[in-house]
């Protein structure tokens, strides 16, 4: 039985969403890996140190050498510009330091945020799965309750049938109806019996027309359950004794040979004192009556597996 | 014969471990047996002296060096038996099926596999997802093989919904049975069920061996005293692993109701309990916490005296994996008047040996049965006598040993099962 159209559509949509989700996670994973400025430019801290040390202008010349006076006079003339430059350098270096520090902090924060987003994306699916399972658990509780009720009822019914079967009433055995052989040849009977499960039949009943058939008896033995009944009606010309022996050799027990009917046969009418033709006619009718009641010289052989 | 015997062993927390010890003692004088297990510790003192034990991973090497005549597999519906699966097809042998339903543990083996766990830990990883999907595909293939045309729906329902009943309806025993030379079960129901599903398997029945543990009367009195049970109190006991299937909640409610007329009723729960807090909550909710004694797991050698301490035993089971309950046979062997669930696989227990409660009237019938038995010492004694008689006749060590020896002979005569082309790919295993 194929799934409903709705479930197929849902399944196709789910597969597409899962594919997109996996792509998103993979992309996020890739984006989550990036270096901070100090990691990408390992020389940067050293250069920053250099800059911090190099922002000052050249110190004024000192000493009393002949050129020192004029050097100091020239320096005095350009001192304001130098002081301005030094001030600029100091501010620039300070701004650069601050900027680099803040950038590093921002980049680190950014990396934390990305990691959190990736982690969130990785846990969303399990969370949704947990919610989904909770919802299905609630939904399936109803079906479980119905199934449990049905299952318990089935078990009780099966046990009741078992109890009736073991009470000895053959009409209430759990096994299928007896298998009747109607115009089946011996080979067909064997194949039909072999197609049954071993120990699956309660009764096997057959008309025997060609004498004992060991293959049929063996197949019947296998197909009957322990305690199952074999019932054979030997036709004219079939030796009942030979059939009885064959049935016993096949493993059956409790072999009984009984008249076919269950009603007592009418006894022949005594012919003493009757005209011969009258006695013959009466006893012919007795024979016909017995035949209608199911009696003849024919017998039924029963046995148990 | 040289036998390779696969089973959990004590101290593994499964009744089959204790069962296997009994079987090994019964068989050790007839065959040379090596036991193969999958556990870090083995209580080797309980093994027969002639029986060696090895990790299952060493089997192939040992087999190649000195081939065994037959492998025997003790198979149940528990994680402790998962290690057996890879060997079933490679070393076809005698499969002793303790549970008809194997679906729960088999599904768990795939759902809880390393691949599935790895994917759950990192759902973004395509590689892990692929590995987990392959693992689940193996599970789907097994379900489809066992239930053609329905496998996908069954697997989806099992994986996508909750509830415990579905695996019981689809037992998943076909592959282990087809891979075996011979299958043995402990009850007729299971034999018929296996035969119905796999007719060519022709399974046999092996009675489960059970014997009463001799318990001095004064030991019982002493134990009841230690547990705080008065001489005039009637104890309803439940024994074995206290799982949901044991219907402890139903037993508790029945005792609570019966106690309205029989105030001297006590409830005794003996066995490992998966969730102590949940049980305590249940007992409180039903108002029986104060009259209940929970012992937890007791040593194997003390089970008999604890069973004898109970005046009545309640042994419910639903759902059922159709197992023959070792705990049930043990309480019957101890002559305990026992109330059981009316299950098909326990149909061979004589009518006069137990009181049966139908599944569709479980609590009410149990309540009535407790009430009747609590009032009648005569009825309890009669049940107990019939129970011990039944066990002595049907579950003797001799019968079990003879059945095992016969099954071993039959299995050894049969050729190993050949891998079938229709089996799932991971069952197409070539013997090294």
């Amino acid at each position: 039985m194929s799934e409903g159209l709705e479930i197929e559509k849902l399944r196709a949509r789910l597969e597409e969403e899962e594919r997109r989700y996996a792509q998103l996670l993979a992309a996020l994973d890739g984006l989550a890996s990036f270096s901070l400025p100090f990691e990408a430019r390992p020389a940067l801290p050293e250069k920053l140190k250099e800059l911090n040390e190099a922002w000052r202008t050249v110190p004024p010349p000192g000493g009393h050498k002949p050129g020192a006076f004029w050097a100091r006079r020239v320096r005095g003339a350009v001192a304001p510009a130098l002081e301005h430059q030094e001030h600029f350098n100091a501010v620039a270096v300070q701004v650069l330091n601050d900027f680099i520090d803040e950038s590093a902090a921002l980049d680190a924060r950014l990396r934390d945020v990305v990691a959190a987003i990736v982690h969130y994306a990785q846990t969303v699916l399990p969370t949704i799965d947990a919610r989904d399972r909770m919802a299905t658990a609630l939904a399936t509780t109803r079906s479980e309750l119905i199934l449990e009720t049905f299952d318990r009822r089935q078990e009780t019914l099966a046990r009741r049938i078992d109890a009736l079967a073991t009470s000895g009433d053959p009409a209430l055995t759990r096994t299928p109806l007896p298998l009747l052989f109607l115009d089946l040849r011996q080979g067909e009977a064997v194949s039909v019996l072999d197609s049954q499960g071993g120990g699956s039949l309660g009764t096997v009943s057959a008309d025997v027309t060609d004498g004992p058939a060991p293959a049929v008896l063996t197949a019947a033995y296998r197909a009957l359950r322990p305690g199952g009944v074999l019932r054979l009606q030997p036709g004219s010309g079939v030796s009942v004794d030979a059939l009885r022996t064959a049935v016993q050799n096949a493993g059956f027990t409790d072999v009984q040979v009984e008249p076919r009917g269950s009603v007592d046969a009418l006894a022949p009418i005594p012919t003493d004192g009757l005209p011969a033709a009258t006695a013959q006619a009466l006893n012919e009718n007795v024979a016909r009556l017995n035949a209608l009641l199911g009696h003849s010289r024919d017998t039924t052989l029963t046995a148990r597996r | 014969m040289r036998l390779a015997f696969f089973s959990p062993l004590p101290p593994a927390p499964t009744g089959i471990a204790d069962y296997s010890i009994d079987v090994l003692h019964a068989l050790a004088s007839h065959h040379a047996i090596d036991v193969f297990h999958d556990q870090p510790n083995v209580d080797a003192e309980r093994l027969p002296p002639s029986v060696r034990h090895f990790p299952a991973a060493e089997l192939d090497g040992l087999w190649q060096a000195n081939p065994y005549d037959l492998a025997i597999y003790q198979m149940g519906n528990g994680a402790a038996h998962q290690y057996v699966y890879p060997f079933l097809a490679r070393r076809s042998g005698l499969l002793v099926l303790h549970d008809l339903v194997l679906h729960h543990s088999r599904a768990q083996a795939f759902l809880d596999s390393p691949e599935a766990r790895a994917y759950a830990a990192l759902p973004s990883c395509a590689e892990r997802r692929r590995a987990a999907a392959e693992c689940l595909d193996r599970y789907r293939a097994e379900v489809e093989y066992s239930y053609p045309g329905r496998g996908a729906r069954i697997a989806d329902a099992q994986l996508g919904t909750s509830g415990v009943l579905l695996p019981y309806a689809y037992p998943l025993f076909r592959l282990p049975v087809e891979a075996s030379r011979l299958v043995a079960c402990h009850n007729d129901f299971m034999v018929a069920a296996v035969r119905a599903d796999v007719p060519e398997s022709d399974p046999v029945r092996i009675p489960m061996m059970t014997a009463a543990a001799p318990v001095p009367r004064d030991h019982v009195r002493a134990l009841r005293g230690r547990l705080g049970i008065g001489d005039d109190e009637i104890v309803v006991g439940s024994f074995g692993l206290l799982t949901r299937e044991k219907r402890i909640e139903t037993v508790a409610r029945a005792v609570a109701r019966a106690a309205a007329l029989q105030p001297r009723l006590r409830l005794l729960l003996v066995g490992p309990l998966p969730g102590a807090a949940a049980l305590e909550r249940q007992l409180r909710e039903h108002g029986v916490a104060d009259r209940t004694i929970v012992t937890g797991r007791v040593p194997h050698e003390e089970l008999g005296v604890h069973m004898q301490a109970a005046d009545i035993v309640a042994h419910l089971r639903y759902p059922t994996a159709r197992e023959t309950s070792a705990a049930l046979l043990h309480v019957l062997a101890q002559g305990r008047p026992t109330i059981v669930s009316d299950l098909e696989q326990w149909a061979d227990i004589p009518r006069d040996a137990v009181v049966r409660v139908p599944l569709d009237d479980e609590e009410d019938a149990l309540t009535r049965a407790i009430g009747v038995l609590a009032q009648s010492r005569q009825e309890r004694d009669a049940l107990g006598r019939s129970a011990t008689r039944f066990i002595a006749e049907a579950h003797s060590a001799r019968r079990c040993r003879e059945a095992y020896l016969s099954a071993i002979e039959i299995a050894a005569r049969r050729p190993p099962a050949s891998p079938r082309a229709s089996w799932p790919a991971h069952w197409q295993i070539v013997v090294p």
Side-chain angles (χ1 to χ4, degrees), chain B residues 44-336:
Chain B
E45 287 180 2
R46 293 186 59 192
L47 288 168
S50 63
V51 171
R52 304 184 301 174
H53 64 94
F54 302 96
E58 296 184 21
L59 174 84
D60 287 334
L62 288 167
W63 195 301
Q64 282 178 355
N66 189 4
Y68 293 92
D69 296 298
L70 184 69
I72 300 176
Y73 302 101
Q74 304 294 337
M75 176 62 82
N77 189 25
H81 302 272
Q82 280 307 309
Y83 79 101
V84 165
Y85 273 86
F87 296 97
L88 290 177
R90 280 163 45 195
R91 307 287 181 187
S92 180
L94 167 61
L95 177 70
V96 182
L97 207 53
H98 289 257
D99 296 310
L100 189 69
V101 177
L102 303 176
H103 197 148
H104 300 83
S105 61
R106 192 59 178 155
Q108 196 62 24
F110 294 103
L111 288 175
D112 209 26
S113 61
E115 295 89 339
R117 285 174 175 265
Y119 172 55
L122 192 63
S124 64
C125 179
E127 179 77 26
R128 293 190 186 194
R129 185 183 180 193
R130 206 165 21 250
E134 282 173 10
C135 198
L136 287 181
D137 283 346
R138 289 196 284 274
Y139 165 67
R140 291 177 195 277
E142 288 195 14
V143 178
E144 176 63 25
Y145 178 81
S146 297
Y147 308 104
R150 290 172 289 166
R153 295 173 65 227
I154 294 169
D156 279 350
Q158 172 66 4
L159 298 179
T161 63
S162 61
V164 299
L165 291 182
L166 183 68
Y168 288 101
Y170 299 95
L172 212 60
F173 60 76
R174 173 180 284 269
L175 279 163
V177 167
E178 286 183 356
S180 302
R181 295 184 179 191
L182 178 68
V183 177
C185 309
H186 293 305
N187 62 70
D188 289 335
F189 181 90
M190 281 182 61
V191 169
V194 169
R195 182 178 287 128
D197 222 53
V198 188
E200 65 274 20
S201 64
D202 202 13
V204 299
R205 181 180 171 188
I206 295 178
M208 185 177 279
M209 179 188 336
T210 309
V215 176
R217 206 180 285 270
D218 57 337
H219 287 202
V220 178
R221 199 175 305 116
L223 175 63
R224 285 178 65 121
R226 277 201 308 277
L227 296 177
I229 300 171
D231 288 341
D232 62 339
E233 290 184 314
I234 301 291
V235 176
V236 177
S238 185
F239 299 88
L241 189 61
L242 299 179
T243 55
R244 183 178 178 273
E245 291 78 15
K246 304 297 173 59
R247 319 306 294 182
I248 298 301
E249 193 172 357
T250 303
V251 175
R253 280 199 303 268
V255 166
R257 290 169 58 186
L261 295 175
Q262 293 283 336
R264 306 298 292 167
L265 269 181
R266 302 292 299 275
L267 177 59
L268 174 65
L269 303 177
V270 178
L273 55 155
L279 176 63
E280 171 71 21
R281 192 171 57 247
Q282 276 181 359
L283 295 173
R284 292 238 162 263
E285 277 174 12
H286 301 303
V288 294
D290 292 340
R291 63 173 73 240
T292 300
I293 302 157
V294 181
T295 66
R297 185 183 181 90
V298 301
H300 183 75
E301 59 275 13
E302 292 181 26
L303 272 176
V305 64
H306 280 79
M307 289 176 178
Q308 297 280 157
D311 300 288
I312 302 166
V313 172
H315 197 87
L316 302 185
R317 190 65 56 88
Y318 185 83
T320 173
R322 300 300 182 179
E323 72 281 16
T324 292
S325 169
L328 173 59
L329 296 184
H330 199 164
V331 298
L332 295 179
Q334 296 300 136
R336 299 297 86 203

Side-chain angles (χ1 to χ4, degrees), chain A residues 59-285:
Chain A
H64 297 285
K65 292 183 181 172
F69 172 77
W70 288 109
R72 282 198 293 274
R73 286 293 293 271
V74 167
R75 184 176 171 80
V78 299
L82 287 176
E83 283 172 5
H84 181 78
Q85 182 65 48
E86 189 169 300
H87 177 69
F88 174 81
N89 288 353
V91 172
V93 169
Q94 189 61 46
V95 167
L96 200 59
N97 277 332
D98 290 346
F99 182 77
I100 288 177
D101 286 345
E102 290 302 319
S103 291
L106 178 63
D107 289 340
R109 176 96 179 170
L110 203 62
R111 195 152 78 171
D112 288 343
V113 170
V114 170
I117 291 174
V118 170
H119 188 66
Y120 164 77
Q122 286 173 342
T123 54
V124 159
L125 192 60
T127 304
I128 291 174
D129 181 68
R131 289 181 189 171
D132 182 49
R133 286 192 176 273
M134 187 65 224
T136 57
L138 294 172
T140 54
T141 295
R142 183 183 176 127
S143 57
E144 281 272 303
L145 286 171
I146 296 169
L147 185 59
E148 180 173 335
T149 301
F150 179 75
D151 188 45
R152 284 174 179 271
R153 191 67 55 81
Q154 280 283 94
E155 184 79 12
T156 300
L157 285 173
R159 290 294 298 127
R160 283 184 191 156
I161 291 171
D162 263 348
L164 287 170
T166 53
S167 69
D169 187 343
L172 293 172
T173 58
R174 291 175 61 209
T175 48
L177 293 169
L179 191 68
L180 298 177
F181 292 103
L182 298 173
D183 296 327
L184 288 178
R185 296 180 187 279
Q186 178 179 328
E188 291 170 351
V190 171
S191 62
V192 168
L193 282 168
D194 282 346
S195 69
Q196 307 298 312
S200 64
L201 297 179
T203 306
V204 170
S205 179
D207 290 329
V208 182
T209 55
D210 294 327
V216 174
L217 295 174
T218 301
Y221 188 86
R222 188 200 69 83
L224 281 165
R225 68 184 179 111
V229 174
L230 175 72
R231 188 175 295 119
L232 303 176
Q233 285 84 44
S236 59
V238 175
S239 165
V240 173
D241 287 336
L243 189 61
R244 184 209 308 261
T245 301
V247 166
Q248 287 171 333
N249 288 343
F252 289 94
T253 59
D254 194 22
V255 182
Q256 308 279 344
V257 177
E258 300 164 339
R260 190 174 288 189
S262 59
V263 177
D264 289 341
L266 292 172
I269 295 173
T271 57
D272 294 343
L274 287 175
T278 304
Q280 183 184 355
L282 283 172
N283 280 320
E284 279 174 2
N285 285 328

